[in-house]
Amino acid sequence: MVVAGDDALAHRLAAELRGVYGERVTLVVPPAQRRVRPPVVGRARGSTLFDRVSAAVTRAAGNGDTPPGRTAEPPGSERVLEATELTEAVLAEAGVERAAALALVHDDDETNIRAALTARRLNPRLRLVIRLYNRRLGEHIKELLDQASALATAGMDDGTADGGGGGGTGGGFDASTTVLSDADTAAPALAATAVAGTSKVVQTDGLMLRAVERPPPGPGEVADPGLCTLALLSATTNDPAGADGSESSGPQGPRLLPDERAVAAATGRGTVVLETVSYTGPAVSGGRSVLPFASLLSRRLRWSFAGLVGCVIGLAIASMAVTREPPLQATYLTLLDLFAINNPAIGQPAGRQVLQLFSGLVGLLLLPVLLAAVLEALGTFRSGSALRKPPRGLSGHVVLLGVGKIGTRVLARLRELNIPVVCVEADPEARGLAMARRLRVPVVLGDVTQEGVLEAAKIHRAHALLALTSADTTNLEAALYARTVRPDLRVVLRLYDDDFATAVYRTLRAAHPQALTRSRSVSHLAAPAFAGAMMGRQILGAIPVERRVLLFAAIEVGGHAQLEGRTVGEAFRAGSWRVLALETGVGGRRGDPAGAAAGGGVTRRAPSGLVWDLPSSYVLRAEDRVVLAATRRGLAELLGRRARERSEP
């Protein structure tokens, strides 16, 4: 496996492939990464990733007579290369020609696309996983690379394909391209953590899975398991000085995918249960092309126009009484007098002359009102394309700090849920401001570290603060200041370093035990999905459970001895994986378990074709495609390439 990147996601992805799946990994990083401490992603061997990377570099430097990429590294090993650019020579040195998969996770889309085109030319059978923020461009790039792979491999004979000995053809890998975005992967979890009434969600097409945290049941109460129980929360969840926030899997830590006996035996511990939901709220408007009359004019101007209309009606009635004209004619003469285009009432009765004078006076009053209306309408049209300011009475909203790549995706997610948001951004050219303008979301431009910026965002009446800038100190400073303004404020921090995030989490929880505090790392949430894609699996998403991660994947049953030929109940392995749903195909390729299961039919079918409430007696067939929840190590054991190779005769 080859991983090329320039930030924390590359290090986490390499550690995931090496430590969880047991793959041999080549990590390609810029030279500057040597001077930056990577995030700590595990201590299974008593050392940090940085120490192991340094040791790998030392071993590689001491073995200079061995060509790069041709060493027989043991499973779980890592080799590090440094390169300023991902040129063809660098990719060849990294072993792309013999690799099974390549992940391009640079923060720059253009760098990833250029390297992907080069890698596809070097190895048409290579599995590509590309990190792209531009989703529309990603779809086109995916089609282009898959088509290029199909054309390049069409001319290869069986002897060439089988005799190459490269990793690109081993272990059942097929050449394909997967385009992922770390922002899209992490946005649902970040948004759900900060919002009351919503929960951690995983979305794909018409399917939405929601994980709901539920408190321990009281005496005599029976907890609703939902579709299934995903996890038991830590026994120290309600203890401010407890160990919550670690990845410990001990008896006091969180237990993922427990069996029914473990759930029944656990007392005083909250649970995480799975529900299926569909969003039925109003669609978010992309902005109105025509502004309503009420927003064009202020309330004072509307009352002024109403007074003028009343004067015209009164003058018309008086004219009817004096001149004995019909109503339409009397109104017409009044309007001519009002706009000073009628002939003087010389030689006419005194009443008519007085009415003409009054009409002229009302016309003089009309001129400033018309001018004010024009100016106010112009200002409204100009502000319609500008950033909105938070309204005076706003409360119960979410303050979103930072609308960069991650913040923009989170903003879109919050607006899809119809949740009021106020954005705070220091850069007037930030990419998320265009979306905020289009969705008419209030924005406060300013440095959050300056006094008065959070106050302008109505932080004292806010429900939650999402600090998602790329600077840890800025996020922490904003969270600490917001807590001084409102101690019970819900706070979600995006922090780079896990040790730092855990320390901040515990300290804030101890200082404010009644307030909800969460620290999240985007790379920590996104790395499992990228690793699963490199292994050739469709990872639907990841749901954090405290500081551990539960994955949701869609897989074919065929080829997996732990699933094929077993019932749903027999296929369940506590703490590792659990089958949740069955995908029904088109044209009879996959059967309907309603009639095949001896234990009863299936009662719920999602719009996306997923069948829920599978009976435990339903036997999984090779042609079935299922959705399952799994831990990282459980998914690696079930789907890992080397595990499959060992099971093959």
Side-chain angles (χ1 to χ4, degrees):
M1 300 286 180
V2 180
V3 177
D6 57 357
D7 59 8
L9 180 58
H11 292 279
R12 290 189 182 276
L13 179 54
E16 189 89 8
L17 293 170
R18 186 189 68 253
V20 178
Y21 291 91
E23 294 289 338
R24 296 189 298 269
V25 181
T26 297
L27 178 62
V28 183
V29 295
Q33 292 291 88
R34 287 284 302 275
R35 299 188 294 271
V36 178
R37 179 177 179 268
V40 179
V41 293
R43 292 181 176 80
R45 302 175 186 173
S47 62
T48 64
L49 174 63
F50 183 69
D51 297 330
R52 295 194 293 273
V53 169
S54 301
V57 173
T58 303
R59 291 194 301 269
N63 192 19
D65 55 344
T66 303
R70 302 194 181 188
T71 58
E73 299 95 343
S77 62
E78 181 179 276
R79 184 168 64 100
V80 179
L81 297 178
E82 293 185 351
T84 305
E85 296 182 4
L86 290 179
T87 61
E88 183 174 344
V90 170
L91 292 176
E93 184 181 359
V96 168
E97 296 175 351
R98 296 166 298 280
L102 166 65
L104 299 167
V105 292
H106 282 79
D107 191 50
D108 180 51
D109 287 4
E110 182 179 349
T111 300
N112 294 331
I113 293 174
R114 186 179 302 174
L117 297 174
T118 303
R120 179 59 81 209
R121 186 174 68 253
L122 291 175
N123 186 356
R125 297 184 181 275
L126 180 69
R127 179 183 297 280
L128 288 174
V129 178
I130 310 173
R131 172 189 182 184
L132 290 181
Y133 183 80
N134 190 327
R135 288 176 288 190
R136 181 177 298 180
L137 176 61
E139 290 298 323
H140 295 308
I141 292 296
K142 179 182 182 299
E143 295 176 2
L144 175 64
L145 292 173
D146 285 345
Q147 184 178 3
S149 174
L151 293 176
T153 56
M156 296 183 179
D157 53 28
D158 294 339
T160 303
D162 297 336
T169 60
F173 271 62
D174 61 305
S176 66
T177 304
T178 303
V179 177
L180 296 174
S181 168
D182 57 331
D184 288 332
T185 304
L190 290 171
T193 306
V195 179
T198 65
S199 306
K200 305 160 188 177
V201 294
V202 174
Q203 251 185 313
T204 172
D205 298 330
L207 168 69
M208 180 182 291
L209 304 175
R210 179 172 65 178
V212 182
E213 291 187 11
R214 292 183 177 171
E221 296 180 355
V222 178
D224 182 8
L227 288 177
C228 67
T229 300
L230 295 178
L232 291 173
L233 297 177
S234 297
T236 57
T237 299
N238 299 321
D239 182 8
D244 185 21
S246 67
E247 296 187 17
S248 171
S249 57
Q252 300 300 316
R255 296 184 59 181
L256 303 183
L257 300 176
D259 54 19
E260 295 181 0
R261 181 179 303 176
V263 174
T267 57
R269 299 178 66 166
T271 59
V272 178
V273 300
L274 183 68
E275 295 179 351
T276 57
V277 296
S278 298
Y279 178 68
T280 57
V284 178
S285 175
R288 299 176 178 177
S289 56
V290 179
L291 294 173
F293 178 77
S295 63
L296 283 176
L297 303 179
S298 65
R299 187 176 181 181
R300 287 184 177 181
L301 277 178
R302 293 199 298 270
W303 278 110
S304 299
F305 273 113
L308 289 174
V309 170
C311 291
V312 171
I313 295 175
L315 290 172
I317 295 175
S319 179
M320 291 170 50
V322 171
T323 62
R324 305 297 182 183
E325 296 283 350
L328 186 60
Q329 182 68 17
T331 303
Y332 176 68
L333 292 177
T334 301
L335 290 176
L336 291 180
D337 294 333
L338 184 70
F339 294 113
I341 57 177
N342 196 15
N343 293 325
I346 299 175
Q348 297 187 14
R352 170 71 182 116
Q353 294 176 344
V354 171
L355 288 176
Q356 191 175 54
L357 292 176
F358 272 112
S359 299
L361 180 61
V362 173
L364 293 177
L365 297 176
L366 178 63
L367 292 178
V369 175
L370 290 177
L371 180 60
V374 171
L375 294 178
E376 204 167 275
L378 288 176
T380 302
F381 278 114
R382 290 183 61 184
S383 62
S385 60
L387 296 173
R388 296 184 60 198
K389 294 182 179 180
R392 290 184 178 180
L394 183 63
S395 63
H397 57 288
V398 175
V399 176
L400 177 59
L401 176 57
V403 284
K405 288 185 176 181
I406 306 300
T408 302
R409 292 289 191 254
V410 173
L411 173 61
R413 176 64 185 162
L414 291 172
R415 293 304 297 130
E416 288 174 2
L417 296 174
N418 202 29
I419 296 167
V421 184
V422 174
C423 299
V424 179
E425 177 57 53
D427 182 11
E429 302 297 329
R431 67 174 65 217
L433 294 182
M435 175 178 288
R437 184 181 295 109
R438 177 170 57 85
L439 298 178
R440 301 184 63 77
V441 174
V443 177
V444 176
L445 289 177
D447 187 355
V448 71
T449 61
Q450 301 297 322
E451 186 177 356
V453 174
L454 282 178
E455 284 81 356
K458 315 295 182 184
I459 192 66
H460 58 287
R461 291 201 298 265
H463 171 73
L465 170 67
L466 268 170
L468 303 182
T469 71
S470 57
D472 286 3
T473 55
T474 301
N475 295 335
L476 180 58
E477 182 177 355
L480 293 177
Y481 180 75
R483 279 287 168 81
T484 61
V485 176
R486 185 173 175 183
D488 62 340
L489 182 69
R490 185 187 300 257
V491 172
V492 180
L493 294 172
R494 173 191 175 189
L495 298 176
Y496 178 85
D497 186 86
D498 270 354
D499 288 342
F500 183 54
T502 302
V504 169
Y505 168 78
R506 292 178 179 174
T507 305
L508 285 176
R509 191 180 63 172
H512 304 278
Q514 303 302 323
L516 179 63
T517 302
R518 290 292 183 264
S519 59
R520 293 287 180 256
S521 168
V522 173
S523 59
H524 179 77
L525 296 173
F530 279 79
M534 291 189 73
M535 300 303 298
R537 307 303 165 189
Q538 181 186 359
I539 304 297
L540 303 180
I543 286 180
V545 179
E546 296 181 9
R547 297 199 65 78
R548 302 185 69 190
V549 176
L550 195 62
L551 303 177
F552 293 81
I555 67 169
E556 300 279 352
V557 173
H560 303 292
Q562 301 94 329
L563 302 177
E564 187 176 354
R566 298 174 181 263
T567 64
V568 173
E570 294 171 345
F572 170 53
R573 180 178 296 183
S576 296
W577 62 76
R578 179 171 189 166
V579 175
L580 300 177
L582 176 71
E583 181 179 342
T584 56
V586 181
R589 179 176 178 270
R590 303 185 183 94
D592 190 341
V602 174
T603 60
R604 278 185 282 187
R605 184 186 304 269
S608 59
L610 291 172
V611 179
W612 298 91
D613 287 351
L614 284 172
S616 60
S617 58
Y618 173 71
V619 179
L620 299 174
R621 296 169 292 179
E623 64 270 17
D624 287 339
R625 181 177 175 87
V626 296
V627 174
L628 54 82
T631 62
R632 294 187 301 173
R633 294 193 179 276
L635 189 64
E637 180 182 352
L638 180 65
L639 306 179
R641 176 169 56 134
R642 303 189 187 284
R644 293 198 309 275
E645 290 174 351
R646 288 194 297 268
S647 64
E648 291 176 355

